[in-house]
């Protein structure tokens, strides 16, 4: 038995068998062959197919983004045309009697290992490029067209996935039916893989270096998302103790499920909507309007992931329309495309940035690509005639962006009007407050929009200057940092002065110790993972807002994070 401890990503207990996902070079099967000519033909076809795809991406990127960005793909094509590299693999077919995909995998490993020893960031990047190209060729040789899902092809029933890292796209592509949780070596507590885990009610541990080294395929693994503990090959005693906690938790979960249909009002009569965050296909499919007060955040970027090209207007319209109708008149806040940062789309051909979270993401990207933006705005507007739809712009950092985004919305409205399409002329427009810049001018922003939603996941990382994806600075990425808490007060004051509602859709909306503070500040909506709704509604129903207000002012005046955290914990503990 071994025990390890990582960061608590998503709460819950998971029991299962380890499936390892190393998103490095795809390891193909190794089998005997005796004919170089056959392998040569297979390789030629695979390389041609890869080249055709890269060529397509290169042209598309050059036309839609720019020549410089298209160079990523021309560089990949150059690697693909490297005769020496592929000849090295082919030359081994006959003497070693091995299949070509295995030999490419082996050659690639050697090259990557050589590059890894060099202390040169550029060459390290190049190693990653070589790996990508080889993976592509290997996949073609194996008859696959798209990268496979991390847990695809396993016959393990209850999977605990152990990975180096999980990108949002990989998380989206995972087979959820058998997944009981995951552990990653890298990643922070608000990475999108974690957000997805919460949406699925799956426990997740992140930021656990050495996980891949210490867990072997088929190991029995227990994960505790509340403490970050991972138990590998537990002995009987540890297993029994864990099972006890697991069963208790399952019982509590069913109680919360019942509570999700309740009215969430404080004891002194303040109502707080408890909405859900949705986005991936799984949460959209399972959305149940009876178990929440609406959708406080629809992360539309997931519609753009796992596909090989931009989803068109009609495709998007059908998805938005479906969810707006199923919401039965409850609000559906659709956030416009938020890619960049940790969410990358291969077909978009985005330029590699050294600081992607400070780069061209979200509204910045949409304003730079009006064609994509317009398609989405038209789809949202058309869907607005089927329910209570609101539109929200992410990553706003100045008033000009709001004006420009609203102009784009007006343009989309005009074109629909000309076509005689039906839509809500007065669709409410909101913004995410998730940059310190937006907090500082929230008084002005409040006059320009109909509602605010605080994106605390990003806001915390920008205020504390601690990357939300980087496990080594997670101790600084602290929701109880007084700058974060005071920013919330600032936003609440600006919203109140203009009489607009404000909500929170980042992960702190369901951080129990902080919910009393949000209620005291007058939050009108908390948007959380579907698995958290019941718990938060029950919590709100135990509060008395007027009593909490002075206590919270006292906390905001404290001079230490630990002091504030302890005081918040004490308040939570003493709620009736
Ligand atoms: C946030 O930043 O808090 C947020 C809800 O947006 P995302 O996590 O998708 O960046
Ligand atoms: Mg955000």
């Amino acid at each position: 038995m071994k025990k390890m401890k990582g960061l608590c990503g998503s709460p819950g207990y998971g029991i299962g068998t380890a499936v390892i996902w190393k998103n490095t070079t795809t390891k193909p099967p190794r089998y005997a062959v005796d004919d170089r000519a056959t392998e040569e033909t297979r390789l030629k076809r695979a390389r041609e197919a890869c080249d055709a795809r890269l060529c397509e991406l290169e042209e598309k990127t050059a036309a839609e983004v720019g020549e410089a960005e298209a160079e990523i793909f021309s560089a990949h094509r150059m690697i693909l045309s490297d005769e020496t590299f592929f000849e090295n693999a082919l030359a081994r077919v006959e003497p070693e009697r091995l299949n070509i995909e295995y030999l490419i995998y082996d050659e690639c490993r050697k090259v990557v290992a050589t590059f890894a020893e060099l202390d040169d960031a550029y060459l390290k990047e190049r190693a990653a490029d070589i790996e990508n190209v080889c993976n592509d060729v290997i996949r073609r040789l194996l008859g696959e067209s798209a990268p496979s899902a991390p847990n695809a092809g396993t016959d393990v029933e209850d999977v605990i996935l152990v990975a180096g890292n999980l990108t949002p796209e990989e998380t989206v592509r995972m087979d959820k039916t058998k997944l009981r949780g995951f552990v990653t070596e890298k990643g922070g507590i608000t990475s999108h893989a974690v957000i997805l885990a919460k949406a699925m009610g799956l426990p997740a541990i992140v930021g656990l270096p050495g996980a891949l080294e210490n867990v072997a395929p088929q190991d029995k693994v227990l994960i505790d998302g509340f403490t970050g503990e991972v138990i590998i090959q537990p002995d009987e005693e540890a297993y029994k103790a864990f099972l006890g906690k697991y069963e208790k938790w399952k019982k509590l979960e069913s109680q919360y499920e019942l509570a999700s249909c309740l009215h969430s009002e404080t004891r002194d009569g303040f109502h707080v909507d408890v909405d859900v965050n949705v986005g991936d296909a799984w949460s959209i499919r399972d959305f149940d309007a009876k178990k929440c007060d609406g959708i406080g955040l629809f992360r539309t970027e997931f519609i753009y992931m796992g596909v090989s090209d931009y989803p068109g207007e009609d495709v998007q319209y059908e998805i938005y329309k479906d969810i707006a109708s199923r919401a039965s008149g409850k609000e559906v806040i659709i956030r416009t495309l938020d890619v960049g940062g940790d969410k990358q789309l291969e077909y978009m051909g985005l330029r590699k940035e050294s600081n992607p979270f400070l780069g061209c993401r979200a509204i910045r990207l949409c304003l730079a690509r009006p064609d994509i933006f317009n398609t989405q705005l038209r789809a949202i507007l058309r869907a607005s005639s089927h329910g209570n739809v609101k539109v929200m712009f992410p990553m706003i950092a100045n008033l000009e962006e709001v004006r420009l985004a609203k102009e784009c919305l007006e343009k989309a409205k005009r074109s629909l009007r000309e076509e005689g399409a039906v839509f809500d002329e007065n669709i409410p427009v909101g913004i995410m407050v998730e940059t310190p810049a937006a907090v500082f001018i929230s008084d002005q922003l409040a006059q320009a929009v109909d509602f605010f939603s605080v994106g605390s996941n990003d806001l915390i990382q920008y205020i504390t200057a601690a990357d939300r994806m980087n496990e080594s600075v997670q101790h600084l990425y602290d929701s109880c940092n007084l700058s974060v808490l005071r920013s919330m007060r600032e936003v609440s004051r600006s919203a109140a002065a203009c009489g607009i509602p404000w909500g929170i859709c980042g992960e702190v909306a369901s951080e129990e110790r902080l919910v009393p503070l949000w209620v005291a500040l007058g939050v009108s909506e908390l948007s959380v993972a579907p698995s958290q709704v019941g718990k938060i509604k029950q919590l709100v129903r135990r509060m008395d807002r007027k009593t909490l207000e002075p206590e919270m002012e006292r906390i905001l005046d404290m001079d230490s994070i630990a002091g504030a955290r302890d005081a918040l914990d004490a308040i939570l503990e003493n709620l009736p």
Side-chain angles (χ1 to χ4, degrees):
M1 179 170 89
K2 260 186 264 176
K3 284 187 182 180
M4 299 181 80
K5 200 155 177 182
L7 304 170
C8 308
S10 168
Y13 297 102
I15 301 178
T17 306
V19 169
I20 310 293
W21 165 251
K22 288 190 181 165
N23 32 0
T24 50
T25 313
T26 309
K27 185 166 184 182
R30 177 186 169 161
Y31 56 89
V33 297
D34 45 22
D35 175 20
R36 171 180 161 129
T38 312
E39 297 303 280
E40 198 163 357
T41 313
R42 291 181 61 228
L43 177 59
K44 185 166 172 281
R45 286 207 192 111
R47 285 172 70 189
E48 279 167 3
C50 290
D51 192 58
R53 161 107 181 110
L54 287 172
C55 211
E56 217 177 88
L57 285 170
E58 189 182 349
E59 276 171 22
K60 194 166 148 56
T61 312
E64 295 177 3
V65 190
E67 295 290 341
E69 288 76 11
E71 277 172 20
I72 306 168
F73 300 107
S74 46
H76 280 201
R77 290 185 67 208
M78 262 172 66
I79 296 169
L80 190 65
S81 66
D82 183 342
E83 292 305 334
T84 319
F85 175 81
F86 289 104
E87 182 49 40
N88 284 347
L90 268 175
R92 290 172 56 191
V93 170
E94 277 180 354
E96 297 180 40
R97 300 189 61 239
L98 281 174
N99 55 317
I100 188 65
E101 49 271 57
Y102 181 78
L103 292 170
I104 291 174
Y105 161 76
D106 197 48
E107 287 295 318
C108 176
R109 259 194 332 185
K110 283 197 241 163
V111 175
V112 169
T114 317
F115 278 42
E117 279 166 19
L118 304 173
D119 196 18
D120 182 319
Y122 171 77
L123 288 175
K124 282 197 172 136
E125 279 292 318
R126 228 179 106 74
D129 287 341
I130 295 172
E131 216 166 28
N132 280 340
V133 172
C134 288
N135 274 337
D136 227 19
V137 175
I138 292 169
R139 274 198 295 269
R140 298 277 170 180
L141 283 161
L142 294 174
E144 297 165 9
S145 51
S148 58
N151 58 343
T154 169
D155 45 18
V156 171
E157 275 305 316
D158 297 307
V159 173
I160 299 285
L161 192 82
V162 183
N165 197 11
L166 281 174
T167 66
E169 180 158 8
E170 284 161 350
T171 315
V172 168
R173 277 197 277 105
M174 280 196 286
D175 174 4
K176 282 38 169 214
T177 52
K178 295 176 176 173
L179 198 61
R180 304 291 168 258
F182 62 77
V183 180
T184 63
E185 292 198 326
K186 294 191 181 297
I189 51 173
T190 61
S191 63
H192 286 93
V194 165
I195 288 168
L196 287 164
K198 280 193 185 163
M200 296 182 264
L202 275 181
I205 315 286
V206 295
L208 181 57
L212 285 172
E213 237 170 75
N214 284 284
V215 186
Q218 302 293 333
D219 273 356
K220 184 123 210 111
V221 180
L222 310 176
I223 63 173
D224 180 340
F226 297 103
T227 61
E229 189 168 63
V230 177
I231 308 178
I232 306 143
Q233 297 288 65
D235 58 26
E236 210 175 315
E237 197 186 329
Y239 184 74
K240 258 196 190 153
F242 193 89
L243 202 62
K245 287 195 276 186
Y246 176 86
E247 277 160 4
K248 237 188 192 163
W249 170 64
K250 279 281 165 199
K251 232 188 232 159
L252 207 60
E253 287 288 290
S254 23
Q255 275 175 26
Y256 288 151
E257 170 111 23
L258 293 176
S260 63
C261 305
L262 295 173
H263 189 65
S264 59
E265 195 171 272
T266 61
R267 294 153 74 94
D268 52 344
F270 287 94
H271 179 79
V272 178
D273 272 341
V274 182
D275 284 8
V276 287
N277 293 345
V278 299
D280 59 296
W282 188 86
S283 62
I284 293 172
R285 191 200 60 202
D286 287 3
F287 166 66
D288 182 350
K290 290 193 287 305
K291 294 184 181 162
C292 61
D293 298 318
I295 293 177
L297 170 66
F298 185 155
R299 287 186 167 94
T300 57
E301 48 280 7
F302 290 106
I303 299 172
Y304 293 69
M305 291 179 179
V307 289
S308 55
D309 205 349
Y310 299 105
E313 181 181 317
D314 286 344
V315 171
Q316 294 192 50
Y317 163 66
E318 289 299 334
I319 298 172
Y320 305 150
K321 175 180 116 182
D322 169 59
I323 208 140
S325 328
R326 282 160 53 209
S328 318
K330 293 182 175 175
E331 71 175 358
V332 175
I333 302 180
I334 304 182
R335 174 176 79 181
T336 56
L337 182 64
D338 182 0
V339 282
D342 66 330
K343 288 175 279 192
Q344 297 292 329
L345 297 177
E346 195 194 328
Y347 60 82
M348 216 164 173
L350 298 175
R351 191 208 304 253
K352 261 206 164 8
E353 296 174 306
S354 48
N355 280 311
F357 274 109
L358 300 182
C360 190
R361 61 172 289 211
I363 196 68
R364 303 169 181 187
L365 195 66
C366 284
L367 292 175
R369 298 289 304 273
D371 49 335
I372 300 172
F373 199 29
N374 186 50
T375 303
Q376 182 172 41
L377 292 173
R378 282 176 52 99
I380 296 172
L381 282 167
R382 284 169 60 198
S384 68
S385 65
H386 299 277
N388 181 5
V389 173
K390 302 177 181 177
V391 62
M392 176 160 77
F393 302 123
M395 269 290 282
I396 293 295
N398 57 50
L399 262 165
E400 289 75 0
E401 284 169 339
V402 178
R403 290 186 194 120
L404 286 171
K406 284 172 88 174
E407 272 169 30
C408 293
L409 185 67
E410 286 310 311
K411 185 172 160 242
K413 282 185 185 174
R414 273 197 302 278
S415 65
L416 286 172
R417 246 178 248 130
E418 279 162 19
E419 293 164 23
V422 195
F423 62 91
D424 178 1
E425 285 280 355
N426 299 313
I427 185 170
V429 177
I431 57 162
M432 294 201 55
V433 179
E434 52 184 344
T435 64
V439 174
F440 284 123
I441 55 162
S442 55
D443 56 335
Q444 294 171 317
L445 289 167
Q447 294 173 42
V449 295
D450 301 309
F451 64 94
F452 282 161
S453 184
V454 178
S456 56
N457 303 340
D458 278 313
L459 186 60
I460 297 173
Q461 80 166 339
Y462 296 131
I463 287 185
T464 61
D467 183 349
R468 67 193 264 192
M469 300 296 294
N470 184 342
E471 60 284 358
S472 59
V473 289
Q474 291 295 295
H475 60 292
L476 297 171
Y477 183 100
D478 197 327
S479 54
C480 291
N481 185 311
L482 283 141
S483 314
V484 172
L485 304 184
R486 288 185 182 191
S487 295
M488 291 295 208
R489 177 172 60 187
E490 197 58 35
V491 174
S492 72
R493 285 178 176 164
S494 299
C498 269
I500 64 164
W502 71 283
I504 306 175
C505 61
E507 296 307 298
V508 300
S510 57
E511 192 173 332
E512 286 169 273
R513 67 160 69 88
L514 287 169
V515 176
L517 174 59
W518 310 147
V519 170
L521 290 176
V523 77
S524 47
E525 170 231 294
L526 293 168
S527 194
V528 303
S531 59
Q532 307 291 306
V533 174
K535 186 172 75 181
I536 300 306
K537 282 195 172 184
Q538 265 189 353
L539 191 52
V540 169
R541 290 163 65 91
R542 290 164 59 200
M543 293 176 198
D544 187 276
R545 183 176 149 193
K546 285 283 164 227
T547 318
L548 287 172
E549 278 172 5
E551 295 189 56
M552 293 305 163
E553 279 305 319
R554 185 176 56 82
I555 289 174
L556 292 172
D557 279 340
M558 286 187 166
D559 61 4
S560 86
I561 299 174
R565 186 180 290 109
D566 289 347
L568 287 163
D569 281 341
I571 287 171
L572 183 67
E573 190 89 343
N574 291 323
L575 283 178

